[in-house]
Amino acid sequence: MYNYLDFEKPVQDLEGKILELKKLSESGEAVDVADEIARLEKRSTDALREVYRSLTPWQKVQVARHPDRPHFLDYARGLFTDFTPLAGDRKFGEDAAILGGFARFRGQPVALIGQEKGSDTKSRLKHNFGSVRPEGYRKAVRIMELADRFKLPMITLVDTAGAYPGIGAEERGQAEAIARSTSACLALKSPSISIVIGEGGSGGAIAIATANRVYMLEHAIYSVISPEGAASILWRDTTRSKEAATNMKITAHDLLDLKIIDAIIPEPVGGAHRAPDTVISATGDLIAKTLAEFAQSNADFREHRREKYLSMGRSL
């Protein structure tokens, strides 16, 4: 059974009936119900397709935050081999909210960084729900500098509600760490690819997402602040989060139109959590295609990145 979102209630009711019929059939307490199950499954598929055909920005926020959505470690296991994570920033300590190191992608050596939210209570606490502290960003800088030294392509997977806002993080220089991480992204001489796989929240995301190519999953979000935070600042009323989400242009299609991202990775009907292997495979195919394009290019990747971000928002 899935963890259903509020707007998926029609689908939940149908799939609940299907499950009940299957249990009755397996226990021998019902006559042949195969035809009824097939009919309900078609209705369920049609209902799911209809719901996801016209998701509002706020509903996309809910899908992006779905607890069963594949996270960094799922992509790392599904797409990369010989992943060797590095720990610590060599200044303060280790931050498990951000993971990174070196790996092979379809035989090619790459550097890999990503935020990990965790998949159960224990792992969510371990990874701090993907909210990175200063030492996490300094670890990311360390990996980027090593990637540059060894001329390795940089791949980052973004999935965070934002950097950790605690007092300790501020005392250890959170803003400075985010700025230095963003600067390290821009300074890379090797090519870089970033994929927003869930939430791309504020500086917490941009610190590792300032890449030559930025891609988003279809139901991911990418924003300067959470809708709740924006509603709290603008109207001092978090109940207006839905309105904020609509006005902020945080969906993949909005950001593609604004030329903030370069492409959208389609998700299965019902979101990435319903068919994670399909989404992970599609992400891998796009990474492979992009790396092949980079290999054939004579571009100055640092200069390309500079021009890419300077051109954003220009009206002339």
Side-chain angles (χ1 to χ4, degrees), residues 7-311:
F7 60 86
E8 294 178 322
K9 186 69 166 61
V11 180
Q12 181 179 4
D13 292 341
L14 287 168
E15 291 187 350
K17 291 176 183 176
I18 292 168
L19 187 61
E20 289 176 10
L21 287 174
K22 285 181 176 179
K23 286 181 178 178
L24 286 173
S25 179
E26 289 169 2
S27 65
E29 296 179 13
V31 294
D32 185 14
V33 291
D35 289 344
E36 180 63 12
I37 290 174
R39 187 182 68 82
L40 288 174
E41 285 178 339
K42 184 180 184 306
R43 283 183 59 193
S44 174
T45 301
D46 290 344
L48 189 65
R49 186 174 288 109
E50 185 62 30
V51 166
Y52 275 78
R53 183 178 291 128
S54 55
L55 291 181
T56 66
W58 178 246
Q59 288 170 337
K60 284 187 179 267
V61 170
Q62 292 176 275
V63 178
R65 293 173 174 172
H66 197 287
D68 297 333
R69 196 173 177 84
H71 297 140
F72 171 82
L73 286 173
D74 299 305
Y75 287 86
R77 285 189 287 262
L79 296 178
F80 301 90
T81 56
D82 301 328
F83 177 43
T84 305
L86 301 183
D89 65 348
R90 299 296 187 265
K91 293 180 181 179
F92 180 82
E94 164 65 350
D95 181 10
I98 200 164
L99 303 176
F102 301 97
R104 289 187 182 274
F105 173 75
R106 300 184 181 181
Q108 179 178 354
V110 298
L112 176 64
I113 298 174
Q115 287 126 346
E116 172 60 37
K117 285 185 172 181
S119 55
D120 54 32
T121 301
K122 183 178 180 180
S123 62
R124 285 170 191 148
L125 291 172
K126 174 185 176 182
H127 297 291
N128 199 35
F129 300 87
S131 292
V132 186
R133 298 177 173 90
E135 47 273 23
Y137 291 115
R138 291 179 179 128
K139 175 172 66 174
V141 171
R142 178 180 159 224
I143 294 168
M144 290 179 207
E145 289 174 347
L146 287 170
D148 223 16
R149 183 183 304 174
F150 296 110
K151 298 180 172 61
L152 297 177
M154 184 83 244
I155 299 171
T156 66
L157 302 177
V158 178
D159 190 15
T160 181
Y164 183 63
I167 293 174
E170 296 298 333
E171 289 174 341
R172 295 194 299 277
Q174 182 72 288
E176 182 264 355
I178 290 172
R180 287 194 178 276
S181 184
T182 307
S183 177
C185 285
L186 289 167
L188 279 170
K189 298 185 187 72
S190 52
S192 55
I193 304 168
S194 183
I195 303 108
V196 183
I197 59 175
E199 287 186 273
S202 192
I206 200 70
I208 64 169
T210 314
N212 292 102
R213 298 279 181 87
V214 180
Y215 303 130
M216 281 179 72
L217 266 62
E218 182 181 359
H219 301 311
I221 58 170
Y222 193 17
S223 61
V224 69
I225 191 173
S226 71
E228 294 89 345
S232 177
I233 291 170
L234 293 173
W235 302 297
R236 301 185 184 277
D237 182 1
T238 56
T239 63
R240 297 180 68 176
S241 301
K242 295 180 183 179
E243 185 179 346
T246 300
N247 293 329
M248 288 166 64
K249 306 297 182 185
I250 61 177
T251 69
H253 291 92
D254 285 332
L255 295 168
L256 184 63
D257 290 341
L258 292 169
K259 299 182 180 179
I260 302 298
I261 65 169
D262 299 289
I264 297 171
I265 302 171
E267 295 189 32
V269 176
H273 54 283
R274 283 185 171 258
D277 291 342
T278 301
V279 169
I280 291 170
S281 177
T283 302
D285 290 342
L286 185 56
I287 291 173
K289 179 183 176 184
T290 306
L291 289 176
E293 291 173 2
F294 285 157
Q296 296 171 3
S297 171
N298 295 320
D300 180 331
F301 293 107
R302 182 161 54 178
E303 183 63 21
H304 171 269
R305 217 176 289 117
R306 177 179 181 275
E307 289 302 318
K308 174 186 176 73
Y309 287 94
L310 283 175
S311 68

